[in-house]
Amino acid sequence: MSGALSFVKNVFTDKKTEIVVFSSTAIALYGYDQGMMSLINTNFDYLQTMGIEEESPIVGVIVSVYYLGCAVGSVLASWFADKEGRKPSIFACLATTSLGNLLMFIAGLGFSKGALPLMFLGRIIMGLGVGGIDSVIPVYSSELNEEGGRGKAMAQEFQSNIFGLNMAFALNLLITIQLGKYNQWAWRIPIIAMQVYPVLLLSFIYRLPETPRWLMSQDREEDAGEALADIFGKEEGPGKLEELKKKTEDESSKPIHYSDMIFPSGSQFHPTVLTVMGQVNQALTGYGAVSVYGPQIFELLGFDVRFSEYLTQGNYVSYFLFMTFAWLLIDRVGRRVMMVSGAFGISMCFLLLTLFGGLAMNADKYGINQQAVAIPGIVALYIATASFGIGWLSQVWLIPTEIYPSSARAQGAAISVVIWGLANFAVTLLTPIMFNNLNYWLFLVFAATNAFAGIWTWLYSPETGGRSFEENQQFFLDAADHGTWRVHKVNHGDFKKMPKGEKSGDDEADGESAPLLGGDRD
């Protein structure tokens, strides 16, 4: 009890705690949208208001255009964050999210003509805001997190993403049970309830500092000193400022442009390919679809609609709880091991789900008790979801903050969100179509895509945990010298795992934090 009271007190008195809570709440916005749309997609009044059928591909298009908005928003927010600052960019993104959400809420409210175009517009505008948040918040958080354990901090923030998912789905399910699927308020209330997030964050952002790194990049040394004193206290602030000045001077002569990142001849092309493939492989795990279309996934195991909704809520709660293992392990065993083992674990679960789904849907034909195969299917899907949360949810967002110099972090984050948006646009657009045409064979598709993700990661993704930015950049330089990107063939495979002798948890070596606020290694 005293620990909880101490945490609440720190939210209003300790700047580091305020930053973590703010960043975590902002990341929860994306999770909320996934949980919100899961049951809205099956609300009959919603479908009627939009003028579409339950199995219409337009259902998937409404969901997926949001991700196109995210892709565009990430680039705009990244540019704005570099030009005007991280805080103004976050403020603009939150305001945009709020506007898009409001347009979704009023779509068809008291009128029917134009409801669908307004819903599309609201989804796109909200995507612009959330995409910008997903692009800028990881940069903002990492630039303000000087202490060891970056992975732990990021995983904790993404656990709040799953909290948002749970909150939205639970609210949606409760209201749907009370009002029914033919009531418009059963889908409008969960939409407008999302306003809690941007409104609270907008009212709180004034308390937070701008990142000292950005201030130094704008030659605002005095403001950077004040920000550091605000974060670390007046005694530590001056020392942190000197460290940051040295780091900024080292990087100022090396400006990075998008052309250096997206063309093969560019100095940051290899890190960009790693960033792009991380997001592509995460999308190939299929969990964007599982999050948005959770109830329909359980229906493939032969369960009725309402029970599938209960099972989905249970899966999301399990997802949230198992995310704890992500932040306990990520700075101890490394990003790479968790991603590879997670991908192959998910692949095995989907292979089993193909078998269980086929038997469940043909139970009468083969004289099998449907529950006897459906229940193991539930267990397999719960395990697959936990494996994704532990192995893939936060890692692909963390790695770009560890492989790009500070001057390229915002661009790297923008590229990451663009690919995330485009990949999830494709997955969420195609999943309803695959539901209708493949049934339980959809699980086999995801088994194959997860196997690909695991193999690619094992071959080409280096372990970035426990190393400074300079050490991670050395991998890319050595890979060029060796003429190969295969992790096992660069420096005798030193980047297959965490460095030897690396401390774990909060005692992690300084190399883990060096890129963030510019502290030199001891």
Side-chain angles (χ1 to χ4, degrees):
M1 185 67 178
S2 59
L5 292 175
S6 176
F7 176 79
V8 173
K9 180 181 177 182
N10 285 340
V11 170
F12 297 98
T13 58
D14 180 72
K15 199 59 64 177
K16 294 179 184 178
T17 304
E18 288 181 4
I19 292 165
V20 171
V21 171
F22 181 88
S23 299
S24 298
T25 307
I27 293 295
L29 269 170
Y30 166 53
Y32 188 98
D33 179 79
Q34 288 181 313
M36 176 181 74
M37 293 306 296
S38 287
L39 288 180
I40 288 176
N41 289 331
T42 61
N43 184 284
F44 298 124
D45 181 83
Y46 164 76
L47 296 171
Q48 183 179 4
T49 302
M50 297 301 123
I52 54 180
E53 300 293 331
E54 187 174 2
E55 296 185 357
S56 170
I58 300 299
V59 174
V61 175
I62 293 173
V63 173
S64 58
V65 293
Y66 162 82
Y67 293 102
L68 292 181
C70 288
V72 175
S74 67
V75 176
L76 296 176
S78 171
W79 169 80
F80 195 65
D82 281 342
K83 183 175 177 62
E84 300 295 337
R86 311 317 193 199
K87 275 183 64 177
S89 182
I90 293 170
F91 185 95
C93 291
L94 290 170
T96 302
T97 299
S98 180
L99 174 61
N101 177 264
L102 184 61
L103 292 177
M104 289 175 60
F105 172 73
I106 65 174
L109 185 61
F111 62 93
S112 58
K113 188 176 181 179
L116 183 59
L118 188 57
M119 177 59 71
F120 272 122
L121 180 62
R123 293 289 294 164
I124 292 171
I125 292 177
M126 193 169 79
L128 290 172
V130 175
I133 290 167
D134 284 348
S135 175
V136 179
I137 284 292
V139 174
Y140 180 76
S141 177
S142 68
E143 288 183 347
L144 291 173
N145 178 28
E146 184 262 353
E147 296 179 357
R150 280 198 311 268
K152 178 180 178 180
M154 186 72 77
Q156 287 176 327
E157 288 176 13
F158 273 87
Q159 189 172 31
S160 72
N161 172 286
I162 310 308
F163 175 80
L165 174 70
N166 272 278
M167 175 183 171
F169 194 86
L171 177 63
N172 216 330
L173 181 58
L174 178 63
I175 294 174
T176 298
I177 291 172
Q178 296 299 318
L179 301 180
K181 288 181 176 288
Y182 290 93
N183 190 303
Q184 66 168 327
W185 298 108
W187 63 271
R188 292 192 190 276
I189 290 176
I191 289 177
I192 198 63
M194 187 180 181
Q195 286 285 347
V196 170
Y197 285 98
V199 169
L200 282 177
L201 292 168
L202 285 168
S203 65
F204 192 78
I205 194 172
Y206 77 95
R207 296 177 55 89
L208 301 180
E210 181 56 84
T211 71
R213 268 191 176 277
W214 182 83
L215 292 169
M216 287 297 293
S217 72
Q218 304 297 307
D219 297 322
R220 293 167 56 181
E221 183 177 326
E222 183 177 347
D223 292 336
E226 292 177 0
L228 287 167
D230 192 23
I231 299 167
F232 298 103
K234 293 183 179 180
E235 293 184 1
E236 291 187 51
K240 298 294 183 184
L241 180 61
E242 292 303 313
E243 294 174 2
L244 183 56
K245 284 169 62 176
K246 183 179 183 303
K247 195 69 176 181
T248 302
E249 290 170 0
D250 292 341
E251 293 182 351
S252 61
S253 61
K254 306 172 186 177
I256 304 295
H257 306 288
Y258 276 114
S259 59
D260 298 311
M261 306 169 80
I262 61 178
F263 294 113
S265 60
S267 62
Q268 299 300 315
F269 179 70
H270 188 174
T272 299
V273 172
L274 185 64
T275 297
V276 168
M277 288 305 299
Q279 289 293 355
V280 169
N281 288 331
Q282 189 197 62
L284 291 177
T285 64
Y287 264 81
V290 171
S291 296
V292 177
Y293 302 107
Q296 293 94 317
I297 294 285
F298 281 104
E299 287 178 41
L300 294 178
L301 292 172
F303 295 106
D304 62 40
V305 174
R306 180 49 48 83
F307 194 67
S308 293
E309 292 169 352
Y310 291 146
L311 290 173
T312 300
Q313 182 70 76
N315 191 30
Y316 292 162
V317 171
S318 172
Y319 190 6
F320 175 78
L321 295 175
F322 273 97
M323 268 298 293
T324 303
F325 288 99
W327 53 264
L328 290 175
L329 295 173
I330 195 167
D331 289 323
R332 289 174 167 80
V333 304
R335 295 85 167 108
R336 172 183 161 85
V337 170
M338 294 174 72
M339 293 170 73
V340 172
S341 58
F344 286 116
I346 298 167
S347 184
M348 289 301 298
C349 287
F350 276 124
L351 281 174
L352 291 173
L353 281 163
T354 306
L355 174 63
F356 295 142
L359 292 175
M361 296 191 74
N362 294 280
D364 293 338
K365 178 180 177 181
Y366 296 116
I368 300 172
N369 186 319
Q370 187 261 345
Q371 296 293 320
V373 290
I375 292 175
I378 296 172
V379 175
L381 190 53
Y382 274 44
I383 293 174
T385 304
S387 298
F388 172 79
I390 295 170
W392 279 89
L393 182 61
S394 60
Q395 284 84 345
V396 298
W397 299 98
L398 172 64
I399 290 173
T401 71
E402 299 178 315
I403 60 177
Y404 287 113
S406 176
S407 56
R409 281 210 190 115
Q411 297 101 306
I415 289 173
S416 184
V417 177
V418 166
I419 301 304
W420 165 80
L422 294 176
N424 279 281
F425 168 78
V427 170
T428 53
L429 178 64
L430 294 174
T431 298
I433 299 172
M434 291 191 289
F435 276 140
N436 298 330
N437 293 278
L438 298 179
N439 292 318
Y440 58 86
W441 291 109
L442 175 64
F443 295 135
L444 186 61
V445 173
F446 287 146
T449 54
N450 273 280
F452 171 83
I455 293 170
W456 195 96
T457 302
W458 175 253
L459 290 175
Y460 299 112
S461 184
E463 176 53 62
T464 59
R467 293 180 168 94
S468 69
F469 156 72
E470 290 80 8
E471 290 170 327
N472 285 325
Q473 275 283 294
Q474 191 61 45
F475 168 82
F476 301 114
L477 295 174
D478 292 340
D481 291 340
H482 285 80
T484 180
W485 289 6
R486 294 275 294 273
V487 174
H488 297 71
K489 295 183 177 181
V490 178
N491 284 344
H492 308 290
D494 287 346
F495 280 78
K496 290 190 297 182
K497 54 186 177 181
M498 298 268 283
K500 292 182 179 180
E502 190 67 33
K503 296 180 182 180
S504 63
D506 294 332
D507 297 324
E508 203 160 25
D510 290 343
E512 176 74 356
S513 59
L516 301 183
L517 279 170
D520 294 328
R521 302 186 73 175
D522 292 335

